[in-house]
Amino acid sequence: MASTPSPPASSLTPPEIPFELHVANRENLLKSIRQHLSDSCRPLQGFVLLQGGEEKNRYCTDHTELFRQESYFAYLFGVREPGFYGAIDIATGNSILFAPRLPAEYAVWLGEIKSLSCFKERYMVSMIYYTDEIGQVLCDQYGGSGKPLLFLLHGLNTDSDNFSKPAEFQGMEKFETDLTTLHPILTECRVLKSDLELALIHFANDISSEAHIEVMRKTRVKMKEYQLESMFLHHTYMYGGCRHCSYTCICATGGNGAVLHYGHAAAPNERILEDGDMALLDMGAEYHFYGSDITCSFPVNGKFTSDQALIYNAVLEAHNAVISSMKPGVNWIDMHKLAEKTILESLKKGCILVGDVDDMMAKRLGAVFMPHGLGHFMGIDTHDPGGFLKNLQIMERPKEPGLKSLRTIRDLKEGMVITVEPGCYFIDALLSPALESSNTSKFFNRETIERFKSFGGVRIESDLHVTANGCKNMTKCPRETWEIEAVMSGAPWPLDKTSTSAANGKC
């Protein structure tokens, strides 16, 4: 008897990479910087100059770590190779790439040495030269008087508190340099995504959503956390061509779910999954620099207990309330507070908390259960820049618990991509002081809270594109408890909502 063929492991095909995307990004920057110079009564002359990333070895060894391009350079030029520089002539709009001049032995060990014309065609630039020609080429191209002006990238990343590295090359003394103009303008260009950028982010979401579902289906009690990570990485690379992840995978189960950035070298996704655990899996693939950031939480045995459903649904209600409220003009602090309040109301209904929810909000009790911010900009970086910009007339970063962790406090704009990731965690380092504090101890049902001390946590994270009238959820994972249970028991995704809803007593 012939066996029934199994369904394909993936319905997705990696899309062709549109390098027109980077042409459009350069044009976007050129328009913005020319406008800024005009408004400042400055001449429309000079060059934007960026230095791409360099390959690095592991400490003192000859082991070369897998290279990933510097993000601002990737945004403007899309170059995947190390050692490049890129320039944009503000006067003419011409784009210029500078490739490293490789030694002959490169061809023996690392493959063909590509011609300059090959790079020019692939990356769709106006001109291509070698990096040892930067000074001469820019001087020759400059049409103004005096020393040519270079706009260099230098500014603070407000997510990392690190500064971007301005370009350096031999002969820079022949040029005037401007270290203040470029960074805020280029950062703001990255905040609003084009349709070509959105298409790549959509694919990263599609393949990552598919991988999360695959992991959900194959999760079993007594597995190791790293096996869940391995399944995700395999699926996104095997079927999505995603060699890079957007960030280190967080595969937390049981009490590890209360460790917000679990999965690092000192906590390396190695616990054994136990019956009764919740899993919190925060994993996202990256495709041609553009990423995704998705978190799914579910019971490892495939069935929610009443306590697990209580916490999960509290977070899901917050997730859905925020998404329903998002549209241009909405302030992100208000969205964070909406998520907090929704979770606190659910915890009160579940008899974990007692008292007035508005009073809880005033005492910042929400930060005990959700100490991180509601979400962050996302694009070429998981935490894309632009959350706080000096040239925007916005308030300073809040100081209160929870709010001080927000990665942006801006009003939403059409074209932004931002994550929505409310969570509810039982973190002893936060709960113990709150239980002892005269400001917050009155809100806890101490008998009930003891039951959750080793619960871990729940986070639900989706990637949202802000549209003209609202937002679009690019993440396509099961979210309702009954959807998760159905998928984990073998149901196809997406579910047949009519039949499944009827089976679950839903109208």
Side-chain angles (χ1 to χ4, degrees), residues 29 60 69 123 154 164 175 192 249 274 312 322 352 381 409 411 424 466:
L29 172 63
C60 66
Q69 186 59 264
Y123 295 122
H154 180 67
S164 52
F175 298 83
L192 303 182
C249 292
E274 300 293 344
Y312 184 88
V322 169
I352 295 173
D381 291 312
I409 56 174
D411 292 344
C424 182
V466 181

Side-chain angles (χ1 to χ4, degrees), residues 123-136:
Y123 295 122
M124 303 179 72
V125 292
S126 310
M127 306 173 192
I128 179 84
Y129 298 93
Y130 288 113
T131 54
D132 54 24
E133 301 175 297
I134 293 174
Q136 188 60 54

Side-chain angles (χ1 to χ4, degrees), residues 205 282 293-296 315-326 332 335-336 338-339 370 372-378 412 417-423 425 459-466 471-475 479:
N205 263 270
D282 189 339
D293 189 355
I294 298 172
T295 307
C296 294
V315 177
L316 182 62
E317 285 180 30
H319 170 272
N320 293 348
V322 169
I323 291 174
S324 296
S325 302
M326 285 173 59
W332 198 241
M335 293 296 93
H336 180 94
L338 173 61
M370 189 175 80
H372 60 72
L374 173 64
H376 50 80
F377 292 153
M378 193 195 72
L412 296 180
V417 170
I418 194 165
T419 67
V420 172
E421 50 178 307
Y425 316 88
R459 181 163 64 252
I460 302 173
E461 181 177 16
S462 300
D463 301 339
L464 281 297
H465 165 220
V466 181
C471 63
K472 179 178 181 181
N473 192 345
M474 296 182 284
T475 302
R479 292 308 195 192

Side-chain angles (χ1 to χ4, degrees), residues 270-326:
E270 63 182 5
R271 181 179 176 275
I272 296 174
L273 281 60
E274 300 293 344
D275 197 10
D277 284 347
M278 280 293 288
L280 187 162
L281 306 186
D282 189 339
M283 305 181 288
E286 175 184 296
Y287 185 75
H288 186 61
F289 309 122
Y290 285 86
S292 57
D293 189 355
I294 298 172
T295 307
C296 294
S297 298
F298 57 89
V300 300
N301 64 11
K303 293 291 182 182
F304 283 88
T305 66
S306 58
D307 281 350
Q308 288 172 341
L310 167 63
I311 304 305
Y312 184 88
N313 284 326
V315 177
L316 182 62
E317 285 180 30
H319 170 272
N320 293 348
V322 169
I323 291 174
S324 296
S325 302
M326 285 173 59

Side-chain angles (χ1 to χ4, degrees), residues 348 353-360 442-443:
K348 180 180 177 180
L353 299 176
V354 295
D356 182 72
V357 172
D358 288 332
D359 196 9
M360 296 178 199
K442 64 182 179 180
F443 297 120

